[in-house]
Amino acid sequence: PIIPDLLISPSDQGDGDLEMEYPEERGNWTGKLDFLLSCIGYCVGLGNVWRFPYRAYTNGGGAFLVPYFIMLAICGIPIFFMELSLGQFSSLGPLAVWKISPLFKGVGMGTILIVSLVAIYYNMIIAYVLFYLFASLTSNLPWEHCGNWWNTDLCLDHQVIKAGNAAIPFNVTNTVSPSEEYWNRYVLHIQGSSGIGDPGRIRWNLCLCLLLSWVIVYLCILKGVKSSGKVVYFTATFPYFILIMLLIRGVTLEGAWIGIKFYLTPQFDHLLSSKVWIEAALQIFYSLGVGFGGLLTFASYNTFHQNIYRDTFIVTVGNAITSILAGFAIFSVLGYMSQELGIPVNQVAKAGPGLAFVVYPQAMTMLPLSPLWSFLFFFMLLTLGLDSQFAFMETIVTAVTDEFPYYLRPKKAFFSAIICIAMYLMGLILTTEGGMYWLVLLDDYSAGFGLMVVVITTCLVVTRVYGMKRFCRDIHMMLGFQPGLYFKACWMFLSPAMMLALLVYNIVKYQPSEYGSYRFPYWAEVLGILMGLFSCLMIPTGMVVAVLREEGTLWERIQQASRPAMDWGPSLEENRTGMYVATLAGSQSPKPLMVHMRKYGGITSYENTAIEVDKEIEEEEESMM
């Protein structure tokens, strides 16, 4: 029989054939802490400041920490470790890693679509932060008083409220704070838009801030992990210094204990509600960033034997502690506000961007040296947001360059610039007067049920299709030990079941998007749902493409497409042991390739040849012995 090219060793080829072109090296982290700090920066983001504290106090205060840490153990830590293991073992991005089972490559496509949508609006939030950062460079904060052109008759200063407490109480129910009017009427200029279908004019100051944020992101990812890995030494650590400063300043304020007590007072009756457990799981799910491909991408630049088992616990537990610490810093200031304004804490606190751009800026105006504290707060938000954005962009660029290494790796900087420019242009709709409506739509639907479907599918493919034994054997090759019963139980049963419950809960408890009193029209809801469905549809689309590429009957095609690709495994020859020895293109011995084809099946027309060559090699070895 004619031996296929795949089975010919380099010694059998002519000199001319040896001059084959290999893709340029992907590169690796240049320092020992690059990977760890990048993961910390990616996981510790804006959500730790404006989402966790609000969810804690609305779901039982201190009692919320019980389901929070249980869900961290069931969903957070195991899925986090799984993603790191896949990335480090294969040294591939979120698309190419599906050599593990080409039938499910659509999962990677869905991931890239989700991350792209998130990256577009996430950088707009960074643009808002830059806007406030520049606005803080003044002796008096512009949102401190009423009387500006953007204020209305409903505007009421907190100094007026405080003065009124001593005489005639004010009815504050129909009033608006200066910071809220500054945010809505000046920064967003939302009065110029009647809704999502009427975006209005572009806000050029926001447009320039968005441009600056994309320039910063591009310069930091210009050389891939070699540049972003150094920037995170600052962006991942500096927020902790500011957070501690804000915490110390907050707890020393009069009335701080009111907010902290409100934040942590345990209400154990809440634990009987399924909603609290679902909220805890959702918080873990989104704060760790599982399913977005960032963890897998970062791990793919590790050395093969990096101790990701240790790193998993450092990052996940550190992220949880940071969230709790941020809660103390935020609610101590909200308690001070509550006492100053004479209103309950629950009327002061808000979830989401309102906490960062309305409530906390208002709190800064009540402090001595308010511009300084405002600048520090928004600088902290900037550094928190940037390293998460680095991860999103690195995920997209790495995924595509790993698919086309010969063409794109040498031009990675140019390709990154094209991606940044394209996303900036797509994000211009967010800089219009009605841009906030589009941002809310993207936030609600881009990474909703689609992300959960992607993570559930990944978990099931790795444990059921690829096989738990194979996956644990791969981890043993990297780390020198196999995962324990805890990880196996979570991967096989607990994590998928919990995420499936999350998915069902999100569908059953579906609520249309809204912004303040504005209700989104029906067509906008449909657009949002399609946005989420489109990422899910990538999975069956990828299956169809994979099956069409195979030969044989439909069932044979499905079986062949679900098996690992022939070059699946560690990327470097020295790391390929056992099943993976010398199965890379250009390796000296074809025998392991025969073993691979006989164990997993292979290209139909090559199977007989593979078995024959394998038998010949075995006979030669026996005769030599």
Side-chain angles (χ1 to χ4, degrees), residues 466-477:
Y466 183 64
M468 178 63 78
K469 287 184 179 179
R470 293 180 195 169
F471 186 54
C472 291
R473 179 200 61 202
D474 293 344
I475 293 175
H476 187 252
M477 282 178 60

Side-chain angles (χ1 to χ4, degrees), residues 555-571:
W555 179 242
E556 287 173 343
R557 291 182 178 205
I558 293 172
Q559 283 184 309
Q560 291 163 21
S562 62
R563 294 167 182 149
M566 288 192 181
D567 57 346
W568 164 253
S571 63

Side-chain angles (χ1 to χ4, degrees), residues 100-101 103-104 460-467 470 562-564:
I100 192 173
S101 184
L103 184 66
F104 296 93
L460 294 177
V461 171
V462 171
T463 56
R464 265 76 171 183
V465 180
Y466 183 64
R470 293 180 195 169
S562 62
R563 294 167 182 149

Side-chain angles (χ1 to χ4, degrees), residues 470-539:
R470 293 180 195 169
F471 186 54
C472 291
R473 179 200 61 202
D474 293 344
I475 293 175
H476 187 252
M477 282 178 60
M478 288 192 298
L479 306 182
F481 60 89
Q482 288 208 10
L485 182 62
Y486 156 66
F487 280 104
K488 292 177 182 178
C490 287
W491 288 335
M492 287 292 288
F493 307 109
L494 297 178
S495 297
M498 189 63 239
M499 288 185 289
L500 191 60
L502 276 176
L503 180 61
V504 172
Y505 176 83
N506 269 9
I507 294 172
V508 172
K509 295 289 184 179
Y510 167 75
Q511 290 182 339
S513 294
E514 56 185 48
Y515 180 72
S517 59
Y518 177 76
R519 301 292 180 268
F520 282 68
Y522 179 73
W523 67 265
E525 288 180 46
V526 172
L527 180 63
I529 293 170
L530 289 174
M531 202 186 301
L533 281 176
F534 196 55
S535 56
C536 299
L537 290 174
M538 292 291 105
I539 300 174

Side-chain angles (χ1 to χ4, degrees), residues 73-143:
I74 292 176
C75 279
I77 295 174
I79 303 301
F80 193 97
F81 184 45
M82 174 182 280
E83 283 204 30
L84 293 187
S85 300
L86 283 172
Q88 181 165 304
F89 181 75
S90 63
S91 297
L92 296 171
L95 272 177
V97 77
W98 287 100
K99 288 179 180 179
I100 192 173
S101 184
L103 184 66
F104 296 93
K105 191 168 186 176
V107 177
M109 294 159 61
T111 300
I112 299 307
L113 178 61
I114 291 169
V115 174
S116 300
L117 291 173
V118 171
I120 290 171
Y121 81 80
Y122 200 85
N123 224 26
M124 189 65 227
I125 297 174
I126 296 176
Y128 292 141
V129 172
L130 284 170
F131 190 98
Y132 272 82
L133 191 70
F134 296 139
S136 300
L137 299 173
T138 178
S139 56
N140 292 304
L141 295 174
W143 57 85

Side-chain angles (χ1 to χ4, degrees), residues 536-577:
C536 299
L537 290 174
M538 292 291 105
I539 300 174
T541 302
M543 286 181 169
V544 171
V545 173
V547 167
L548 291 175
R549 287 178 174 174
E550 300 295 338
E551 299 176 358
T553 65
L554 178 61
W555 179 242
E556 287 173 343
R557 291 182 178 205
I558 293 172
Q559 283 184 309
Q560 291 163 21
S562 62
R563 294 167 182 149
M566 288 192 181
D567 57 346
W568 164 253
S571 63
L572 298 179
E573 191 78 39
E574 60 262 30
N575 295 325
R576 298 178 81 92
T577 59

